[in-house]
Amino acid sequence: MTMELQLGLALPNNITEGFDLNSRGSEPLSHVGSCLASESGIREYNSKKRSFDEAFVPQTLALLVWNKQPNEEDEGHSELDKNSSTISKSDGDDDGIVGWPPIKTPRRKLCHQNCGGFSGGNFDDGGPRPRGSKSTYVKVKMEGVAIARKVDVNLHHSYQSLRDTLDDMFGRGLKNVKAYKLTYQDGEGDWLLAGDVPWR
Amino acid sequence: MNYFPEEVLEHVFDFLKSHRDRNAVSLVCKSWYRVERFSRERVFIGNCYAINPDRLIERFPRLRSLTLKGKPHFADFNLVPHDWGGFVYPWIDAMAKRGVNLEELRLKRMVVSDEGLELLSRSFVNFKSLILVSCEGFTTDGLAAIASNCRFLRELDLQENEVEDHRGQWLSCFPDSCTSLVSLNFACLKGEVNLAALERLMARSCNLRSLKLNHAVPLDTLQKILAQAPQLVDLGTGSFVSDPDSETFRRLRTAIQKCASIKSLSGFLEVAPCCLPAIYPICLNLTTLNLSYAQGIHGSELIKLIRHCGKLQRLWILDCIGDKGLGVVASTCKELQELRVFPSDLHGDGHAAVTEEGLVAISAGCPKLHSLLYFCQQMTNAALITVAKNCPNFTRFRLCIINPTIPDPVTMQPLDEGFGAIVQSCKGLRRLSLSGLLTDQVFLYIGMYAEQLEMLSVAFAGDSDKGMLCVLNGCKKLKKLEIMDSPFGNLALLTDVGKYETMRSLWMSSCEVTLGGCKTLAKKMPRLNVEIINEGDQMEATPDDDRQKVEKMYLYRSLVGARRDAPDFVWTL
């Protein structure tokens, strides 16, 4: 049973409700669509190198919609990766050129987990959990950023700790990540500023 | 002519540990060859298809330790289909049948089956050590066989393998009488382990020096194990999550403080950052730290941790440490010899985690650095030139700029000059991986200066055949060349065919070589196996159209001709 919580990061004068998964997220797919058409056609012997266009393969997008146990998506990934013996171009690779970047499969899976945003792990194995409560994953979107992250709030004991983690996750390269405010949407759909209510 | 009794020769050869030295002495004369082959116990085979099991055992009857490598390196990056080959079963079978007293088996990129593991466990009474790296094809049932039957097992080391986890009781299969374990690494296993069985096994393994747990082992169990094993030298944690106020955590801190021998730390497959301070006391002694799977530790915490690690020699880390963090590494870890920075997020929204700045800082602060693997978003020629000047001792230099055809962002020039500086300065360079926008010029430099180069990895680089020819011509010690997506074709492939017999292997994928070119090569060089990986049946329809480009070609020297276990989609020409 997971709580459905959504957090949002936004600049102070701009607390809006609908964070759009802007078109950056969907662009690669349509781009790939047209490339696939040319791929299945006649190979171009004239071009010197396989350009990025030709080399791209369909992504198996890990969708950000989640309301299941965290590791379900995980298994989806590994099933796809460990697939059939006859390789088609989409086998084993999920974000672009086959064989690039040169990262081993176990690490690649980890990168995708990170993209999905697991900052902790799954807690379904009966191991001890902090404070004995079930894991709680929340989706965090930042204004202006296409890709959301997931964070397990149970790994944190205070707003500050959560905030530090989010700053690290979203703040790379940003000059003033601290200016962003953290908001959340409660069960009734109201957006509240994080920090008003005690952590527990 | 001086006469040495063979016993004396044998005694002298005992001091030769490296297989290269042993290979060299065996070439001196027939009698040295004979003495050497009867005394060699450890054999290294870099390509399992270069020789066959029978000939191996024939030459080295006293074989006790065998190292085998299977698939080509690019198999790590999904460029080689799963059932390409590299099966270890025939080797185990042959050694079992011919009564080899096998004690150690080390495999890399090979296909291992449960049947093979079962046979292994039953056939060699003195078997002590199994090390599997990047292998696949087996399940935890095979591990159960090893645990059950290898009475004197000292080492079971599983590194980054694809293991089907049946969530069984393989750990419980170690009999109560088994107390010989020195090293156990099951970090790559995905499933549950019987924690009670693990604790009991650890309690009776008083010789245990190295332990690496998987994610399913919670901190509570770790604490219990450490309390009984303060002599550990090498530790890989599983899950490192706890309430810092809990009794369990307090006990862990106490146990860790008693582990004065831990020099190598890894794991943190799951981690709650607030628990990290527990390991600060052992950081002072660490020489090896591998946090490359610790996604849960973010930049600032990483930096805090690194500040405690003044004796570090080897560091594997994620790029979330950032340039600033690398600066801290540079000022803290003065003994650093090897650094690997892995990407933490491939779908990044463009924010560069580490850039050339971090690398320059490291090169300035760590004069002993000789081995580097660095994933970054950008690199400049100026930075590489500085790095080359600061660190002339590189033996391994692997740079991976995530966007592979990106130029120097400051000058918009290719990175030829930067890599050129590296090869010119680092006279001992043995391994090099290139990336970024590169022309034929970089290969000119490599051919000219990289005299000790043994392995070169190329992707999306070069303009013409000239590039590849420079390398083949200039790098006299080249053993392995692997090229993807570069415009090298038949001219480059066929100009110096004799070269390939001096090398272990050549891989070319998505280049310009044609079927005709490969056929010509195969015909000219009967002692080479020229294999074409033919996916998608592109060539099935027109096998005689020699003008077709070959998608993937892998050739290697072999003493035993074409292999007989090649699947349908692999053609040996």
Side-chain angles (χ1 to χ4, degrees):
Chain A
M1 249 298 285
T2 49
M3 259 197 317
E4 193 130 348
L5 253 194
Q6 280 201 61
L7 294 180
L9 278 177
L11 288 170
N13 54 356
N14 228 342
I15 300 176
T16 54
E17 283 189 46
F19 291 118
D20 42 47
L21 244 191
N22 64 33
S23 56
R24 244 201 311 161
S26 49
E27 244 169 52
L29 259 189
S30 55
H31 185 62
V32 162
S34 61
C35 297
L36 271 185
S38 63
E39 185 88 60
S40 59
I42 302 166
R43 286 189 58 119
E44 294 162 357
Y45 286 107
N46 303 326
S47 57
K48 269 193 168 182
K49 297 186 199 186
R50 188 170 61 143
S51 66
F52 274 125
D53 293 356
E54 286 167 32
F56 259 91
V57 292
Q59 296 189 20
T60 44
L61 260 192
L63 290 187
L64 306 170
V65 177
W66 119 106
N67 50 12
K68 311 169 180 120
Q69 290 303 321
N71 53 339
E72 254 181 64
E73 268 179 66
D74 226 62
E75 265 149 38
H77 269 301
S78 43
E79 258 155 30
L80 282 168
D81 283 348
K82 269 166 89 122
N83 224 330
S84 54
S85 47
T86 44
I87 287 252
S88 56
K89 284 237 163 185
S90 54
D91 191 21
D93 182 53
D94 19 42
D95 54 353
I97 308 162
V98 183
W100 191 269
I103 305 179
K104 289 186 182 174
T105 308
R107 289 194 195 283
R108 200 177 269 274
K109 287 185 192 167
L110 217 56
C111 279
H112 290 293
Q113 266 191 332
N114 192 41
C115 172
F118 301 135
S119 70
N122 61 67
F123 286 87
D124 293 298
D125 55 8
R129 298 159 192 174
R131 303 199 181 134
S133 48
K134 292 200 203 288
S135 67
T136 310
Y137 279 87
V138 299
K139 193 167 33 173
V140 183
K141 282 189 206 156
M142 181 155 159
E143 194 188 20
V145 173
I147 298 177
R149 303 289 179 93
K150 284 185 225 170
V151 174
D152 183 356
V153 292
N154 258 342
L155 290 183
H156 300 276
H157 307 273
S158 64
Y159 283 110
Q160 191 53 48
S161 160
L162 173 66
R163 184 55 203 254
D164 284 344
T165 298
L166 290 175
D167 281 350
D168 272 337
M169 272 178 147
F170 287 97
R172 295 192 316 204
L174 273 187
K175 292 220 158 79
N176 197 11
V177 67
K178 299 236 183 273
Y180 283 69
K181 286 223 179 318
L182 187 61
T183 61
Y184 67 95
Q185 188 174 34
D186 69 4
E188 283 147 34
D190 299 325
W191 284 95
L192 308 167
L193 258 187
D196 289 341
V197 180
W199 177 253
R200 283 191 186 274
Chain B
M1 183 65 202
N2 289 334
Y3 172 74
F4 278 116
E6 292 194 346
E7 299 79 41
V8 174
L9 272 180
E10 194 176 316
H11 183 66
V12 172
F13 291 169
D14 271 348
F15 291 98
L16 298 175
K17 301 299 175 203
S18 114
H19 56 272
R20 288 184 194 202
D21 290 341
R22 279 195 161 257
N23 290 345
V25 304
S26 67
L27 291 175
V28 168
C29 63
K30 282 197 181 131
S31 90
W32 281 38
Y33 177 90
R34 194 176 58 245
V35 172
E36 196 283 317
R37 72 177 257 250
F38 282 114
S39 64
R40 194 184 312 203
E41 296 181 345
R42 312 180 64 91
V43 179
F44 168 85
I45 295 179
N47 175 6
C48 64
Y49 289 120
I51 192 70
N52 64 31
D54 286 327
R55 280 181 65 166
L56 168 75
I57 299 165
E58 190 64 50
R59 180 171 172 190
F60 301 114
R62 293 256 292 257
L63 179 64
R64 291 215 207 172
S65 162
L66 178 62
T67 303
L68 281 172
K69 293 189 176 182
K71 300 184 198 174
H73 174 237
F74 275 173
D76 282 352
F77 317 130
N78 298 325
L79 281 169
V80 177
H82 278 285
D83 32 1
W84 172 88
F87 307 105
V88 73
Y89 190 90
W91 295 83
I92 299 175
D93 189 47
M95 287 189 288
K97 287 197 169 102
R98 298 186 56 169
V100 170
N101 182 16
L102 192 69
E103 292 182 10
E104 178 179 83
L105 187 62
R106 302 155 67 112
L107 305 177
K108 187 164 186 180
R109 275 184 227 108
M110 294 204 65
V111 176
V112 181
S113 62
D114 285 345
E115 292 73 33
L117 290 176
E118 171 91 24
L119 183 61
L120 179 70
S121 73
R122 291 194 188 283
S123 309
F124 308 104
V125 290
N126 291 320
F127 192 75
K128 296 194 174 64
S129 173
L130 181 63
I131 302 174
L132 303 178
V133 180
S134 300
C135 296
E136 52 161 348
F138 60 105
T139 77
T140 45
D141 295 346
L143 297 178
I146 296 288
S148 308
N149 304 325
C150 299
R151 289 172 51 212
F152 303 114
L153 194 69
R154 286 212 211 128
E155 188 171 8
L156 178 60
D157 187 356
L158 307 171
Q159 299 175 32
E160 297 182 328
N161 302 289
E162 302 262 337
V163 186
E164 199 177 299
D165 203 318
H166 289 169
R167 280 150 216 244
Q169 297 294 325
W170 70 275
L171 259 181
S172 319
C173 293
F174 283 102
D176 289 340
S177 55
C178 174
T179 58
S180 48
L181 272 181
V182 172
S183 168
L184 178 64
N185 172 5
F186 59 92
C188 64
L189 294 187
K190 299 276 182 291
E192 313 305 315
V193 289
N194 182 325
L195 298 177
L198 175 63
E199 285 171 36
R200 285 197 305 271
L201 177 64
M202 296 294 97
R204 63 182 186 274
S205 302
C206 36
N207 293 316
L208 196 70
R209 290 284 177 277
S210 171
L211 176 66
K212 292 181 183 164
L213 309 167
N214 78 344
H215 75 95
V217 180
L219 190 134
D220 187 43
T221 306
L222 173 66
Q223 170 266 120
K224 290 188 190 141
I225 294 173
L226 287 181
Q228 305 243 25
Q231 79 283 5
L232 274 181
V233 171
D234 179 7
L235 173 66
T237 70
S239 169
F240 206 75
V241 177
S242 174
D243 181 345
D245 294 327
S246 67
E247 176 60 26
T248 299
F249 191 71
R250 252 195 296 278
R251 278 195 235 124
L252 176 76
R253 292 190 85 133
T254 311
I256 288 185
Q257 270 162 354
K258 297 214 180 92
C259 292
S261 306
I262 293 184
K263 291 232 165 39
S264 169
L265 188 62
S266 60
F268 301 96
L269 309 173
E270 286 167 14
V271 50
C274 50
C275 295
L276 284 176
I279 63 168
Y280 291 169
I282 49 174
C283 286
L284 305 165
N285 293 326
L286 287 182
T287 54
T288 300
L289 180 61
N290 179 358
L291 296 176
S292 60
Y293 281 102
Q295 288 279 3
I297 309 180
H298 296 293
S300 47
E301 286 131 12
L302 270 177
I303 294 176
K304 263 194 273 181
L305 191 66
I306 297 286
R307 287 197 199 278
H308 290 87
C309 303
K311 292 205 191 133
L312 223 48
Q313 293 172 17
R314 193 197 265 156
L315 176 64
W316 292 23
I317 204 147
L318 291 170
D319 64 2
C320 49
I321 193 173
D323 284 332
K324 202 172 73 139
L326 289 177
V328 174
V329 173
S331 54
T332 310
C333 309
K334 294 306 187 185
E335 302 296 312
L336 197 67
Q337 297 177 22
E338 177 181 326
L339 174 68
R340 297 196 190 188
V341 180
F342 294 97
S344 52
D345 187 357
L346 289 172
H347 293 288
D349 28 25
H351 294 307
V354 296
T355 68
E356 72 275 11
E357 276 182 39
L359 184 59
V360 169
I362 292 281
S363 73
C366 306
K368 297 189 181 174
L369 192 68
H370 64 77
S371 175
L372 180 77
L373 171 61
Y374 195 77
F375 283 84
C376 58
Q377 298 281 354
Q378 65 178 52
M379 184 55 57
T380 65
N381 281 312
L384 285 175
I385 292 168
T386 305
V387 169
K389 226 182 332 194
N390 291 340
C391 290
N393 298 321
F394 274 117
T395 54
R396 292 183 201 83
F397 190 87
R398 294 193 279 163
L399 184 67
C400 178
I401 306 170
I402 302 276
N403 181 338
T405 57
I406 201 174
D408 178 328
V410 173
T411 62
M412 299 314 283
Q413 293 298 304
L415 289 175
D416 301 331
E417 297 306 311
F419 281 105
I422 294 284
V423 293
Q424 199 173 351
S425 165
C426 305
K427 309 238 185 294
L429 194 68
R430 295 198 312 260
R431 183 169 181 184
L432 177 65
S433 297
L434 307 171
S435 58
L437 182 66
L438 295 163
T439 72
D440 281 347
Q441 184 65 31
V442 71
F443 298 107
L444 198 73
Y445 288 140
I446 293 173
M448 243 194 316
Y449 295 115
E451 291 175 5
Q452 302 299 319
L453 195 67
E454 295 175 7
M455 181 170 177
L456 178 64
S457 307
V458 177
F460 302 99
D463 306 312
S464 74
D465 288 320
K466 220 170 62 133
M468 184 167 159
L469 282 171
C470 284
V471 172
L472 291 175
N473 197 33
C475 300
K476 301 299 179 200
K477 300 222 175 153
L478 195 64
K479 291 263 162 307
K480 288 188 281 184
L481 179 58
E482 50 185 20
I483 305 171
M484 59 180 271
D485 293 77
S486 300
F488 308 132
N490 293 340
L491 183 67
L493 183 70
L494 297 172
T495 295
D496 180 8
V497 294
K499 175 75 176 175
Y500 307 124
E501 274 193 2
T502 70
M503 291 167 56
R504 185 185 297 171
S505 64
L506 168 67
W507 168 282
M508 292 180 77
S509 59
S510 303
C511 296
E512 303 287 309
V513 290
T514 68
L515 186 57
C518 296
K519 283 183 183 172
T520 305
L521 178 58
K523 199 153 170 219
K524 282 191 182 173
M525 301 295 293
R527 283 188 303 198
L528 293 181
N529 284 351
V530 181
E531 295 184 7
I532 309 287
I533 297 175
N534 178 32
E535 298 160 300
D537 304 325
Q538 285 154 348
M539 298 213 169
E540 295 281 339
T542 53
D544 294 321
D545 183 1
D546 286 353
R547 289 163 308 162
Q548 300 176 80
K549 283 201 206 150
V550 164
E551 190 51 45
K552 293 175 185 173
M553 177 202 74
Y554 179 58
L555 67 84
Y556 52 90
R557 64 184 175 190
S558 175
L559 293 173
V560 292
R563 58 185 174 113
R564 274 168 280 187
D565 62 1
D568 288 338
F569 54 83
V570 173
W571 297 359
T572 305
L573 299 177

